């Protein structure tokens, strides 16, 4: 299928994925490529537009990332952002220098409303800036279309050649009218018609999978997380009983989670797949007995997961395809897409492919961002409860129980966590009903953990010596950084009293105020 697309050329900027996401929000498909990608390859993709990202270097220095001049001569519209804007200027004969005043943060920008990018933008608008260098002189043929108090060229353009340079970051939400500017670029300047929609994506993918799989056998490792669930349902819709899903319950799931997964994917669920649930709780607890070191716990859980899966796969025998829930950020972060440093090499469920006899991998969500995966999930009719699940780490509660993991501790943290989530959700719903808008305090992620600390308390006139539960609640946009969230104290009071009353073995509740960094969202 010839999907209309815009290409983001990555110069190592922090916001490369954000640029692509914003473009997709304009219903235009978008992919990220390194600046090392050859011009012929870019041309072959037949993009309707090209966006150059920001980056940490100075374009006038030797060995800084660059791109050949011909990129700007293809007749394809190009938008340079920050480093991209500076580079465009530099390559086309303008001058970029160290700025006398560097700008960082929200800055008022005055724009020229006759620019196609700014036509309905307020003349004075707040934008996000982050630069040390600046455009001292525009390239020949360019005119200045925005400035700030300290930056004479906050934007410039050559309308005839469809080249646009913006010093600030329209992709960052702090740029109040940034989405509008990107919309104007991709829809008006590039002329994209905006056909990227999740309903058509789902339909096309199902047809493609059917064709690819034919009569083949397909195996899917289901974790109950959003990605693997959406992938599994997509496969189920495409090939029904040719799919076998293996779900390993390692006994470290949230309360009732195993049953919830089974309800959707199991024999009584709507999809009629071959579903195998392996209750491996005991096996995992045995392996984890006496182990307290976090990394060691993670390793044991990961390895045991593969062992269990392997044994099951052997019983099934050779399959033609293995399904993985890889998503686009995994692809970009493992260095296959853009230019940002390799953050983690991605192995869905820990290197599974090595241990299963199969011919090919199917990754139906490989090109989607998380919010798109969720939209696809809704299109597929997956219950909202599953689609909007909070992120949950592979090692599960194993790393939310500090110190040794035991069945008893799992029960405690499961029950405390369920109460916490229930009360926060209930209070947020009540707020939304009363105010007609979502509760502003509702955290992006919230869960309970079990500290390894016991302390003395008194209940019913009797001495207790029990565990302390920690409540975590954070706000984060991208899960790379986070701040502790402020849940109203009456909600927390209720959570505390319910946990202590209802969960045997707990006599104290703490609230974690730590942000990330220096903390992490999870405890281990
Ligand atoms: N490194 C360049 C500067 O400091 C570009 C910064 C950026 O792209 N955010 O001006």
């Amino acid at each position: 299928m010839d999907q209309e697309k815009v290409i983001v050329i990555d110069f190592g900027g922090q916001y490369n994925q954000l640029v692509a996401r914003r473009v997709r929000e304009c219903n235009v498909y978008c992919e990220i490529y390194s600046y090392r990608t050859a011009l012929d390859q870019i041309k072959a993709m037949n993009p309707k537009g090209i966006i150059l990202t920001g980056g940490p270097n100075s374009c006038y220095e030797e060995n800084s990332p660059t791109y050949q001049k011909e990129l700007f001569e293809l007749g394809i519209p190009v938008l340079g952002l920050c480093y991209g804007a500076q580079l465009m200027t530099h390559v086309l004969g303008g001058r970029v220098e160290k700025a006398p005043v560097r700008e960082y943060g929200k800055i008022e920008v005055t724009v020229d409303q006759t620019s196609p990018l700014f036509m309905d933008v307020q003349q004075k608008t707040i934008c996000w800036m982050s630069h040390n260098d600046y455009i001292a002189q525009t390239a020949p043929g360019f005119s200045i279309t925005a400035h700030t108090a300290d930056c004479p060229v906050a934007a410039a353009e050559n309308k005839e050649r469809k080249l646009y340079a913006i010093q600030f970051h329209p992709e960052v939400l702090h740029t109040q009218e940034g989405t509008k500017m990107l919309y104007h670029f991709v829809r008006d300047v590039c002329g994209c018609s905006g056909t990227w929609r999740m309903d058509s994506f789902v339909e096309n993918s199902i047809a493609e999978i059917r064709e690819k799989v034919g009569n083949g056998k397909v195996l899917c490792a289901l974790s109950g997380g959003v990605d693997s669930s959406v992938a599994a349902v997509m496969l189920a819709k495409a090939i029904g009983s040719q799919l076998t899903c293996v779900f390993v319950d390692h006994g470290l799931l949230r309360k009732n989670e195993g049953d919830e997964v089974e309800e959707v994917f199991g024999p009584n669920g709507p999809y009629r797949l071959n579903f195998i649930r392996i209750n491996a709780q005991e096996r995992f607890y045995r392996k984890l007995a006496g182990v307290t070191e976090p990394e060691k716990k993670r390793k044991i859980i990961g390895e045991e997961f593969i062992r269990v899966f392997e044994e099951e796969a052997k019983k099934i025998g050779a399959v033609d395809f293995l399904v993985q829930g890889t998503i686009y950020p995994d692809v970009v972060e493992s260095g296959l897409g853009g230019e940002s440093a390799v953050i983690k090499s991605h192995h869905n469920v820990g290197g599974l492919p090595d241990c299963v006899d199969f011919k090919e991998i199917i990754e139906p969500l490989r090109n989607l961002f998380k919010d798109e995966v969720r939209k696809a999930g809704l299109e597929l009719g997956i219950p909202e409860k599953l689609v909007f699940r909070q992120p949950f780490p592979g090692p599960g509660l194993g790393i939310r129980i500090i110190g040794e993991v035991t069945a008893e501790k799992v029960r405690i943290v499961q029950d405390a966590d369920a109460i916490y989530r229930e009360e926060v959700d209930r209070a947020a719903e009540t707020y939304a009903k009363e105010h007609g808008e979502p509760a502003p305090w509702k955290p992006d992620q919230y869960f309970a953990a079990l500290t390894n600390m016991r302390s003395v308390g008194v209940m019913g006139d009797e001495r207790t010596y029990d565990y302390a539960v920690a409540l975590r609640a954070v706000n984060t946009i991208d899960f790379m950084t986070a701040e502790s969230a402020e849940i109203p104290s009456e909600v927390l009071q209720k959570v505390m009293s319910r946990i202590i009353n209802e969960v045997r073995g707990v006599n104290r509740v703490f609230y974690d105020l730590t942000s990330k960094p220096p903390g992490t969202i999870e405890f281990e």
Side-chain angles (χ1 to χ4, degrees):
M1 195 192 41
D2 201 12
Q3 175 79 54
E4 157 187 280
K5 74 168 101 157
V6 163
I7 282 177
V8 169
I9 301 187
D10 184 14
F11 290 90
Q14 288 179 66
Y15 310 122
N16 58 9
Q17 291 193 30
L18 216 45
V19 177
R21 266 177 59 189
R22 296 275 172 266
V23 171
R24 290 196 192 182
E25 281 166 16
C26 303
N27 299 111
V28 174
Y29 185 64
C30 182
E31 284 178 355
I32 305 168
Y33 291 90
S34 160
Y35 71 91
R36 294 191 176 90
T37 309
L39 187 65
D40 280 343
Q41 215 179 319
I42 304 256
K43 271 199 326 214
M45 292 185 262
N46 193 26
K48 299 273 281 182
I50 295 170
I51 300 179
L52 314 180
T53 73
N57 303 80
S58 288
C59 64
Y60 47 79
E61 269 166 11
E62 229 181 302
N63 300 327
S64 284
T66 185
Y67 212 95
Q68 67 205 83
K69 204 169 158 209
E70 288 72 21
L71 181 73
F72 304 100
E73 293 164 357
L74 299 172
I76 300 171
V78 184
L79 170 64
L81 304 178
C82 205
Y83 185 83
Q86 297 166 359
L87 184 73
M88 178 189 292
T89 304
H90 181 71
V91 170
L92 296 178
R95 216 171 66 237
V96 177
E97 296 173 351
K98 178 143 290 316
V101 183
R102 21 176 249 196
E103 291 173 300
Y104 186 81
K106 292 182 193 172
I107 310 261
E108 187 182 82
V109 176
T110 308
V111 303
D112 175 353
Q113 289 157 321
T114 65
S115 160
L117 300 191
F118 304 137
M119 57 188 181
D120 54 357
V121 170
Q122 312 234 337
Q123 204 190 357
K124 290 190 187 302
T125 183
I126 299 297
C127 299
W128 179 257
M129 285 282 197
S130 169
H131 66 123
N132 301 312
D133 297 333
Y134 80 146
I135 299 173
Q137 197 186 333
T138 54
F142 277 72
S143 54
I144 297 172
T145 51
H147 65 271
T148 73
D150 292 310
C151 181
V153 189
E157 68 190 31
N158 183 330
K159 225 186 272 182
E160 292 70 52
R161 295 177 61 192
K162 300 192 174 164
L163 304 178
Y164 294 84
I166 296 184
Q167 180 58 68
F168 52 87
H169 289 275
E171 70 276 23
V172 173
L173 286 179
H174 298 305
T175 297
Q176 278 164 9
E177 297 178 273
T179 308
K180 236 186 242 176
M181 301 170 194
L182 290 172
Y183 185 93
H184 287 316
F185 179 71
V186 297
R187 300 290 292 264
D188 304 338
V189 176
C190 302
C192 293
S193 49
T195 49
W196 175 247
R197 292 215 154 72
M198 276 310 115
D199 49 354
S200 39
F201 171 82
V202 166
E203 235 172 78
N204 292 333
S205 305
I206 289 178
E208 276 168 32
I209 292 167
R210 261 190 208 133
E211 187 171 333
K212 183 168 189 175
V213 170
N215 302 320
K217 264 212 262 178
V218 183
L219 182 63
C220 174
L222 198 62
S223 70
V226 179
D227 304 339
S228 70
S229 299
V230 173
V233 172
M234 194 176 266
L235 263 293
K237 290 241 157 140
I239 56 161
S241 59
Q242 286 161 264
L243 174 69
T244 302
C245 286
V246 176
F247 169 54
V248 179
D249 184 342
H250 52 20
L252 303 165
L253 297 168
R254 286 166 285 201
K255 190 173 182 174
N256 298 333
E257 195 164 18
D259 295 342
E260 281 167 24
V261 171
E262 184 164 351
E263 245 167 62
V264 177
F265 296 100
N268 301 322
Y271 301 114
R272 315 175 144 267
L273 338 160
N274 304 310
F275 175 83
I276 302 173
R277 173 174 178 173
I278 305 159
N279 290 316
Q281 293 90 332
E282 291 313 319
R283 188 168 164 171
F284 277 84
Y285 298 157
R286 238 181 293 127
K287 286 271 171 188
L288 287 166
V291 184
T292 55
E293 215 274 307
E295 276 308 299
K296 201 158 169 211
K297 280 159 67 176
R298 280 178 180 267
K299 281 229 174 73
I300 290 173
I301 298 168
E303 267 171 35
E304 202 56 17
F305 191 92
I306 296 175
R307 291 293 90 77
V308 175
F309 185 79
E310 195 171 37
E311 288 169 18
E312 226 35 57
K314 278 210 187 101
K315 290 184 206 156
I316 296 167
V319 294
D320 302 286
F321 301 91
L322 186 78
V323 181
Q324 292 207 307
T326 315
I327 68 173
Y328 198 52
D330 302 328
V331 175
V332 176
E333 281 165 23
S334 58
L336 297 172
E339 189 50 35
S340 52
V342 176
I343 298 167
K344 57 172 184 200
S345 53
H346 180 75
H347 279 292
N348 231 339
V349 230
L352 231 37
D354 302 340
C355 66
V356 184
D357 195 10
F358 68 98
K359 289 191 208 122
E360 218 180 306
I361 295 186
I362 298 183
E363 296 174 312
L365 312 176
R366 198 185 157 79
N367 292 327
L368 301 191
F369 285 110
K370 194 80 178 187
D371 44 329
E372 294 174 317
V373 172
R374 292 205 158 106
K375 275 190 209 147
L378 294 177
E379 285 295 331
L380 285 161
I382 303 176
E384 277 192 29
K385 205 165 140 198
L386 251 175
V387 168
F388 291 102
R389 271 232 153 120
Q390 296 190 38
F392 191 61
L397 299 180
I399 57 168
R400 289 182 184 172
I401 292 170
I402 300 174
E404 187 186 6
V405 175
T406 62
E408 164 77 353
K409 285 181 174 173
V410 170
R411 179 202 47 91
I412 292 177
V413 74
Q414 275 180 341
D415 287 347
D417 179 67
I419 290 171
Y420 182 32
R421 284 185 291 129
E422 188 182 311
E423 289 301 331
V424 170
D425 293 347
R426 195 203 322 267
E429 255 166 55
T430 309
Y431 182 101
K433 262 196 211 121
E434 281 168 9
H435 295 75
E437 58 176 26
W441 49 262
K442 188 169 185 200
D444 294 320
Q445 196 183 351
Y446 42 104
F447 59 86
L450 188 61
T451 73
N452 203 20
M453 188 203 90
R454 293 167 82 190
S455 67
V456 174
V458 54
M459 273 172 105
D461 283 344
E462 245 180 82
R463 178 188 192 268
T464 57
Y465 184 58
D466 282 330
Y467 284 109
V469 160
L471 303 180
R472 185 84 169 122
V474 295
N475 284 321
T476 170
I477 295 182
D478 49 11
F479 295 95
M480 305 296 267
T481 61
E483 272 166 61
S484 117
E486 280 178 43
I487 296 176
S489 109
E490 65 273 15
V491 181
L492 291 175
Q493 291 290 340
K494 175 118 189 259
V495 172
M496 177 274 295
S497 101
R498 276 197 61 195
I499 289 178
I500 289 178
N501 280 308
E502 296 172 33
V503 187
R504 287 264 311 266
V506 179
N507 67 354
R508 219 170 268 268
V509 175
F510 292 141
Y511 192 68
D512 185 353
L513 292 176
T514 324
S515 54
K516 169 186 180 179
T520 52
I521 296 176
E522 298 292 343
F523 281 70
E524 286 193 336

